[in-house]
Amino acid sequence: MASDPSQLQDFCLLPLDAVLVNGFVCKPPMHVTADDFFFSGLDMPGNTSNQLGSKVTQVNVNQIAGLNTLGISLARIDYAPYGLNPPHTHPRATEILTLLEGTLYVGFVTSNTNNGNLLFTKMLKKGDVFVFPEGLIHFQFNYGPTPAVAVAALSSQNPGVITIANAVFGSNPPISDAVLAKAFQVGKDTIKYLQAQFWVDNN
């Protein structure tokens, strides 16, 4: 019930002037080409020279029209030494990550339970695979002094991403400092300081 609907045809490509519904309207099959199922450049490292030291290169329906209705996408994530893909969620997808180079400390937090929010973590080395369940907050951190590279597959053509710090402290317009001060149990000055920061988008 909470995943992309199953397709009823071989493919459904979006036309250039598509109207967004749940997915996109279909391009006439006679106008479809092999390029509609193609993306080039995932072998190129992403630019990690930002405050987080990471870069996510997304390959979803916005890059490959042929992914429309197929319920799958992927991403390449590059990490500088000690780079972080910060806590975030994918509201529409489970993610399975494979580490290609380096080492990563990864983890996710469960939703609210009687036992609290449980944290599951693992240290990954080259060739290891880890799953982040749909909608749960998760992260990856490169503890190593050398760069790391991972590829992630996601169970949606357009999984979405909500970076927690950006959404909470960098929303436009800002969330009321009274709301955030009470939620995080800190003073309004701390909230104002956090809201004044530049929150990096590594996507």
Side-chain angles (χ1 to χ4, degrees):
M1 299 298 288
S3 61
D4 290 346
S6 296
Q7 70 221 27
L8 300 176
Q9 64 281 322
D10 289 341
F11 50 78
C12 172
L13 276 65
L14 58 152
L16 293 178
D17 58 350
V19 176
L20 179 63
V21 192
N22 185 16
F24 299 92
V25 295
C26 298
K27 186 177 186 179
M30 67 282 296
H31 297 158
V32 173
T33 70
D35 285 339
D36 291 318
F37 301 91
F38 176 77
F39 177 87
S40 181
L42 210 59
D43 60 321
M44 303 298 295
N47 183 358
T48 59
S49 60
N50 56 55
Q51 290 168 291
L52 296 172
S54 66
K55 175 62 179 173
V56 179
T57 304
Q58 299 181 46
V59 185
N60 57 40
V61 71
N62 296 310
Q63 289 77 38
I64 300 179
L67 286 175
N68 192 40
T69 74
L70 298 185
I72 193 167
S73 60
L74 63 83
R76 172 185 172 133
I77 308 110
D78 289 276
Y79 311 83
Y82 308 104
L84 171 70
N85 192 12
H88 63 281
T89 71
H90 301 293
R92 297 180 292 275
T94 293
E95 175 181 342
I96 183 167
L97 180 136
T98 303
L99 185 59
L100 302 179
E101 294 293 339
T103 58
L104 286 179
Y105 173 66
V106 304
F108 68 86
V109 180
T110 64
S111 53
N112 300 356
T113 68
N114 291 336
N115 296 321
N117 300 99
L118 304 177
L119 173 65
F120 292 88
T121 64
K122 194 78 174 171
M123 186 66 75
L124 304 185
K125 61 185 186 306
K126 182 177 178 177
D128 288 346
V129 176
F130 197 80
V131 173
F132 305 102
E134 181 172 342
L136 299 186
I137 294 174
H138 60 283
F139 62 87
Q140 302 105 33
F141 181 63
N142 180 6
Y143 265 132
T146 59
V149 181
V151 170
L154 299 113
S155 63
S156 171
Q157 69 182 31
N158 189 12
V161 62
I162 301 170
T163 306
I164 306 307
N166 301 38
V168 173
F169 299 112
S171 68
N172 184 19
I175 298 172
S176 163
D177 57 4
V179 170
L180 294 180
K182 190 163 186 118
F184 287 93
Q185 301 176 34
V186 297
K188 288 185 181 180
D189 288 344
T190 301
I191 297 301
K192 287 178 178 174
Y193 170 79
L194 290 168
Q195 288 178 323
Q197 303 308 303
F198 174 71
W199 295 98
V200 174
D201 181 4
N202 66 340
N203 287 276

